[in-house]
Amino acid sequence: MKRKTRNWLIGGVALFAIGAVGSLFQDDDSSEAEAKPKPSVTESVKKESKPDEKPSKPAAGSGIPSPDPAQTARLIRALSAIEPGLVAKEDRAVSRARNVCSDIKGGKGAATVRANAKYRYEGGTVPSLTDDQAADIVTAVKSSFCG
């Protein structure tokens, strides 16, 4: 019985070694294989499920208002008064304000809206915000365009 097991084991190892060596010398004749990598399964699923959506921005037709130029100027002034770093990138500040407005219009509680505003605006040029500053951000969003 030991002899049969040993022969099978040797045969399996030999077959594995031949396959491994053979795969090392396999040529790929198509030049497209190198130029175009295959997308991963995760990338394929992402492309199929949400092709044009960006999770951090409300959709254009979502009912969340976008500030007009005058409202944007008011919003930027108010945010700058709270913390100048909040408006280092004005387009990002407006995008975040639209997200805060989305929370307000979505009926989320005041504490949740403040906590989300704080989370959205912290980081980068503003490492941390106080709860009062977060409340001021919500007030600025409401008074500028999301009333």
Side-chain angles (χ1 to χ4, degrees):
M1 187 71 173
K2 287 185 178 181
R3 186 177 169 133
K4 274 187 175 181
T5 305
R6 186 183 70 194
N7 287 343
W8 277 104
L9 185 60
I10 291 172
V13 169
L15 185 62
F16 177 76
I18 291 170
V21 171
S23 69
L24 290 175
F25 294 103
Q26 183 178 9
D27 289 335
D28 187 10
D29 292 335
S30 71
S31 60
E32 270 187 54
E34 292 175 17
K36 232 187 205 180
K38 292 182 181 178
S40 68
V41 173
T42 308
E43 289 172 347
S44 298
V45 169
K46 285 181 183 177
K47 286 179 183 176
E48 290 173 10
S49 62
K50 296 180 182 176
D52 295 330
E53 274 188 49
K54 292 183 181 178
S56 64
K57 293 183 180 180
S62 67
I64 305 305
S66 288
D68 63 29
Q71 293 170 329
T72 299
R74 248 191 336 259
L75 174 67
I76 297 300
R77 276 193 308 272
L79 292 175
S80 183
I82 297 166
E83 166 63 47
L86 293 174
V87 294
K89 294 186 178 181
E90 290 182 9
D91 57 331
R92 185 178 291 170
V94 171
S95 174
R96 290 174 178 170
R98 289 191 72 219
N99 287 321
V100 171
C101 185
S102 174
D103 286 350
I104 294 166
K105 297 284 185 182
K108 293 186 179 179
T112 302
V113 172
R114 278 191 310 273
N116 288 350
K118 183 177 179 180
Y119 175 76
R120 285 185 177 111
Y121 280 93
E122 277 185 339
T125 57
V126 183
S128 65
L129 290 169
T130 66
D131 291 335
D132 289 339
Q133 286 173 314
D136 291 342
I137 290 170
V138 173
T139 301
V141 170
K142 284 181 180 176
S143 66
S144 62
F145 75 98
C146 188

PDB file of all heavy atoms in Angstrom, residues 70 72-82 87:
ATOM      1  N   ALA A  70     -25.376  84.738  -6.537  1.00  0.00           N
ATOM      2  CA  ALA A  70     -25.526  85.605  -5.365  1.00  0.00           C
ATOM      3  C   ALA A  70     -25.583  84.780  -4.080  1.00  0.00           C
ATOM      4  O   ALA A  70     -24.968  85.140  -3.063  1.00  0.00           O
ATOM      5  CB  ALA A  70     -26.781  86.462  -5.498  1.00  0.00           C
ATOM      6  N   THR A  72     -24.318  81.796  -3.698  1.00  0.00           N
ATOM      7  CA  THR A  72     -22.986  81.224  -3.505  1.00  0.00           C
ATOM      8  C   THR A  72     -22.074  82.232  -2.818  1.00  0.00           C
ATOM      9  O   THR A  72     -21.333  81.876  -1.888  1.00  0.00           O
ATOM     10  CB  THR A  72     -22.382  80.789  -4.856  1.00  0.00           C
ATOM     11  OG1 THR A  72     -23.226  79.793  -5.438  1.00  0.00           O
ATOM     12  CG2 THR A  72     -20.994  80.214  -4.687  1.00  0.00           C
ATOM     13  N   ALA A  73     -22.123  83.474  -3.248  1.00  0.00           N
ATOM     14  CA  ALA A  73     -21.294  84.510  -2.632  1.00  0.00           C
ATOM     15  C   ALA A  73     -21.647  84.672  -1.152  1.00  0.00           C
ATOM     16  O   ALA A  73     -20.745  84.786  -0.296  1.00  0.00           O
ATOM     17  CB  ALA A  73     -21.469  85.834  -3.364  1.00  0.00           C
ATOM     18  N   ARG A  74     -22.960  84.675  -0.831  1.00  0.00           N
ATOM     19  CA  ARG A  74     -23.395  84.766   0.571  1.00  0.00           C
ATOM     20  C   ARG A  74     -22.891  83.576   1.370  1.00  0.00           C
ATOM     21  O   ARG A  74     -22.406  83.731   2.498  1.00  0.00           O
ATOM     22  CB  ARG A  74     -24.918  84.818   0.625  1.00  0.00           C
ATOM     23  CG  ARG A  74     -25.469  86.130   1.085  1.00  0.00           C
ATOM     24  CD  ARG A  74     -26.956  86.139   1.401  1.00  0.00           C
ATOM     25  NE  ARG A  74     -27.794  85.149   0.766  1.00  0.00           N
ATOM     26  CZ  ARG A  74     -28.578  85.382  -0.290  1.00  0.00           C
ATOM     27  NH1 ARG A  74     -28.592  86.567  -0.857  1.00  0.00           N
ATOM     28  NH2 ARG A  74     -29.331  84.425  -0.780  1.00  0.00           N
ATOM     29  N   LEU A  75     -23.009  82.383   0.809  1.00  0.00           N
ATOM     30  CA  LEU A  75     -22.558  81.160   1.479  1.00  0.00           C
ATOM     31  C   LEU A  75     -21.059  81.210   1.743  1.00  0.00           C
ATOM     32  O   LEU A  75     -20.610  80.929   2.865  1.00  0.00           O
ATOM     33  CB  LEU A  75     -22.904  79.929   0.633  1.00  0.00           C
ATOM     34  CG  LEU A  75     -22.375  78.587   1.137  1.00  0.00           C
ATOM     35  CD1 LEU A  75     -23.052  78.199   2.443  1.00  0.00           C
ATOM     36  CD2 LEU A  75     -22.579  77.506   0.086  1.00  0.00           C
ATOM     37  N   ILE A  76     -20.288  81.591   0.740  1.00  0.00           N
ATOM     38  CA  ILE A  76     -18.827  81.644   0.876  1.00  0.00           C
ATOM     39  C   ILE A  76     -18.431  82.659   1.955  1.00  0.00           C
ATOM     40  O   ILE A  76     -17.554  82.393   2.780  1.00  0.00           O
ATOM     41  CB  ILE A  76     -18.149  81.964  -0.480  1.00  0.00           C
ATOM     42  CG1 ILE A  76     -18.429  80.833  -1.492  1.00  0.00           C
ATOM     43  CG2 ILE A  76     -16.663  82.216  -0.317  1.00  0.00           C
ATOM     44  CD1 ILE A  76     -17.934  79.461  -1.077  1.00  0.00           C
ATOM     45  N   ARG A  77     -19.097  83.830   1.966  1.00  0.00           N
ATOM     46  CA  ARG A  77     -18.809  84.837   3.003  1.00  0.00           C
ATOM     47  C   ARG A  77     -19.109  84.291   4.388  1.00  0.00           C
ATOM     48  O   ARG A  77     -18.317  84.453   5.324  1.00  0.00           O
ATOM     49  CB  ARG A  77     -19.617  86.113   2.758  1.00  0.00           C
ATOM     50  CG  ARG A  77     -18.989  87.072   1.789  1.00  0.00           C
ATOM     51  CD  ARG A  77     -19.653  88.445   1.825  1.00  0.00           C
ATOM     52  NE  ARG A  77     -21.106  88.406   1.682  1.00  0.00           N
ATOM     53  CZ  ARG A  77     -21.754  88.430   0.514  1.00  0.00           C
ATOM     54  NH1 ARG A  77     -21.069  88.490  -0.617  1.00  0.00           N
ATOM     55  NH2 ARG A  77     -23.062  88.389   0.468  1.00  0.00           N
ATOM     56  N   ALA A  78     -20.251  83.620   4.540  1.00  0.00           N
ATOM     57  CA  ALA A  78     -20.646  83.085   5.844  1.00  0.00           C
ATOM     58  C   ALA A  78     -19.685  81.983   6.304  1.00  0.00           C
ATOM     59  O   ALA A  78     -19.268  81.957   7.465  1.00  0.00           O
ATOM     60  CB  ALA A  78     -22.072  82.555   5.780  1.00  0.00           C
ATOM     61  N   LEU A  79     -19.319  81.093   5.402  1.00  0.00           N
ATOM     62  CA  LEU A  79     -18.390  80.015   5.761  1.00  0.00           C
ATOM     63  C   LEU A  79     -17.013  80.569   6.094  1.00  0.00           C
ATOM     64  O   LEU A  79     -16.353  80.104   7.025  1.00  0.00           O
ATOM     65  CB  LEU A  79     -18.298  78.990   4.632  1.00  0.00           C
ATOM     66  CG  LEU A  79     -19.547  78.139   4.369  1.00  0.00           C
ATOM     67  CD1 LEU A  79     -19.340  77.256   3.144  1.00  0.00           C
ATOM     68  CD2 LEU A  79     -19.900  77.297   5.584  1.00  0.00           C
ATOM     69  N   SER A  80     -16.588  81.572   5.353  1.00  0.00           N
ATOM     70  CA  SER A  80     -15.289  82.189   5.594  1.00  0.00           C
ATOM     71  C   SER A  80     -15.246  82.862   6.965  1.00  0.00           C
ATOM     72  O   SER A  80     -14.215  82.862   7.638  1.00  0.00           O
ATOM     73  CB  SER A  80     -14.981  83.197   4.489  1.00  0.00           C
ATOM     74  OG  SER A  80     -13.702  83.754   4.678  1.00  0.00           O
ATOM     75  N   ALA A  81     -16.373  83.437   7.384  1.00  0.00           N
ATOM     76  CA  ALA A  81     -16.447  84.059   8.703  1.00  0.00           C
ATOM     77  C   ALA A  81     -16.344  83.014   9.821  1.00  0.00           C
ATOM     78  O   ALA A  81     -15.805  83.292  10.894  1.00  0.00           O
ATOM     79  CB  ALA A  81     -17.744  84.855   8.840  1.00  0.00           C
ATOM     80  N   ILE A  82     -16.844  81.824   9.562  1.00  0.00           N
ATOM     81  CA  ILE A  82     -16.769  80.740  10.556  1.00  0.00           C
ATOM     82  C   ILE A  82     -15.337  80.237  10.663  1.00  0.00           C
ATOM     83  O   ILE A  82     -14.784  80.098  11.753  1.00  0.00           O
ATOM     84  CB  ILE A  82     -17.717  79.579  10.182  1.00  0.00           C
ATOM     85  CG1 ILE A  82     -19.163  80.060  10.186  1.00  0.00           C
ATOM     86  CG2 ILE A  82     -17.526  78.393  11.110  1.00  0.00           C
ATOM     87  CD1 ILE A  82     -20.133  79.103   9.515  1.00  0.00           C
ATOM     88  N   VAL A  87     -13.379  77.491   2.982  1.00  0.00           N
ATOM     89  CA  VAL A  87     -13.596  77.899   1.591  1.00  0.00           C
ATOM     90  C   VAL A  87     -12.301  77.910   0.783  1.00  0.00           C
ATOM     91  O   VAL A  87     -12.190  78.623  -0.210  1.00  0.00           O
ATOM     92  CB  VAL A  87     -14.305  79.269   1.522  1.00  0.00           C
ATOM     93  CG1 VAL A  87     -15.706  79.150   2.083  1.00  0.00           C
ATOM     94  CG2 VAL A  87     -13.517  80.334   2.245  1.00  0.00           C
TER      95      VAL A  87
END
